[in-house]
Amino acid sequence: MAPCASPSALALSASTRVSSFPLTLRPRPRPEARVPRAPGGAQLRPATACSWPRPLLPELAPAFPRAGARSAGRPQPLFRPRAMMTTSQIASCAFTVGTVAVLPFYTLMVVAPNADITKRTVESSAPYVALGLLYAYLLYLSWTPDTLRAMFASKYWLPELPGIVRMFASEMTVASAWIHLLAVDLFAARQVYHDGLKNNIETRHSVSLCLLFCPVGILAHVVTKVLAGAAGRSH
């Protein structure tokens, strides 16, 4: 009869038998991701969570530059200030404001040329100061390094029509030119009005023409003055 082995001896012999067999662990292969294919057979690049082209909020775009963008060396503001009005809106507003501002003076010179309020109002220099400031502001906004080159394009430093046409392709330049015309036309209309009061000549038609056709208005006043003088000498 064989002697009984102790439990510790049995455990030692079992561990010896287990360790005698080589233990090899092989990684479980991962299933390949299925990449969708285009109708022509080309593989499509799968979308990732980081492939969003820009932030959801446009105001935060300066704070999060795109990958590969070079920084200028200074921190970008979180919120970039926006202009209250665009260039086109400024030009349109200045055009309207300037036109409306000169209408009361023409109205008084045409409707009530001999009234005291008309004489006091026409003597004021306020409209010319206001139009001058507005014109200077529009000229500043419309000025470019090529402005003088376009104005004096010839070899004799004289303006040429093609250069002026290119310069007036901008709305801001057209608005500044309009304010310039309004100021000069109003000044010419005031001169016609004062000359009519001095020589007792009708000037309503001439002042009205000065609003939009200033050279024609001045010509009409000269013709009226000559005819009035001839009629006075005949009598």
Side-chain angles (χ1 to χ4, degrees):
M1 186 172 181
C4 295
S6 62
S8 59
L10 292 175
L12 180 61
S13 61
S15 62
T16 303
R17 288 194 300 269
V18 172
S19 61
S20 62
F21 294 96
L23 184 60
T24 304
L25 298 179
R26 295 181 179 179
R28 184 179 179 182
R30 296 179 59 184
E32 296 183 358
R34 296 182 179 179
V35 180
R37 295 179 178 272
Q43 292 185 355
L44 299 178
R45 183 179 179 182
T48 59
C50 299
S51 62
W52 192 260
R54 56 182 179 180
L56 293 179
L57 296 178
E59 292 81 357
L60 300 180
F64 301 95
R66 295 182 178 179
R70 296 183 179 179
S71 176
R74 54 184 178 181
Q76 298 292 335
L78 183 60
F79 294 96
R80 180 180 299 175
R82 297 179 177 179
M84 297 180 61
M85 298 177 65
T86 62
T87 302
S88 179
Q89 291 174 342
I90 294 176
S92 178
C93 182
F95 183 91
T96 304
V97 170
T99 305
V100 174
V102 300
L103 290 180
F105 298 92
Y106 284 97
T107 303
L108 289 175
M109 287 187 290
V110 172
V111 175
N114 296 318
D116 293 337
I117 185 175
T118 302
K119 297 177 182 179
R120 291 194 304 267
T121 303
V122 173
E123 288 292 337
S124 175
S125 300
Y128 307 101
V129 174
L131 292 175
L133 292 175
L134 182 58
Y135 172 75
Y137 176 66
L138 296 178
L139 185 64
Y140 166 75
L141 294 179
S142 62
W143 191 268
T144 62
D146 296 332
T147 300
L148 287 178
R149 190 181 305 173
M151 293 176 62
F152 306 102
S154 67
K155 61 181 180 180
Y156 301 106
W157 290 90
L158 295 175
E160 291 185 348
L161 184 58
I164 299 300
V165 171
R166 290 192 302 268
M167 186 176 64
F168 276 87
S170 170
E171 291 183 350
M172 192 65 68
T173 304
V174 175
S176 63
W178 179 252
I179 299 301
H180 179 278
L181 291 177
L182 289 177
V184 174
D185 292 353
L186 182 60
F187 185 81
R190 186 177 74 165
Q191 294 300 113
V192 170
Y193 169 76
H194 283 159
D195 189 67
L197 292 179
K198 179 180 178 180
N199 297 284
N200 195 19
I201 301 173
E202 181 63 40
T203 58
R204 298 183 183 185
H205 60 292
S206 303
V207 170
S208 300
L209 290 173
C210 285
L211 176 58
L212 295 177
F213 312 102
C214 186
V216 179
I218 296 175
L219 176 62
H221 175 67
V222 172
V223 173
T224 304
K225 187 175 181 180
V226 171
L227 294 179
R233 288 193 300 268
S234 63
H235 289 292

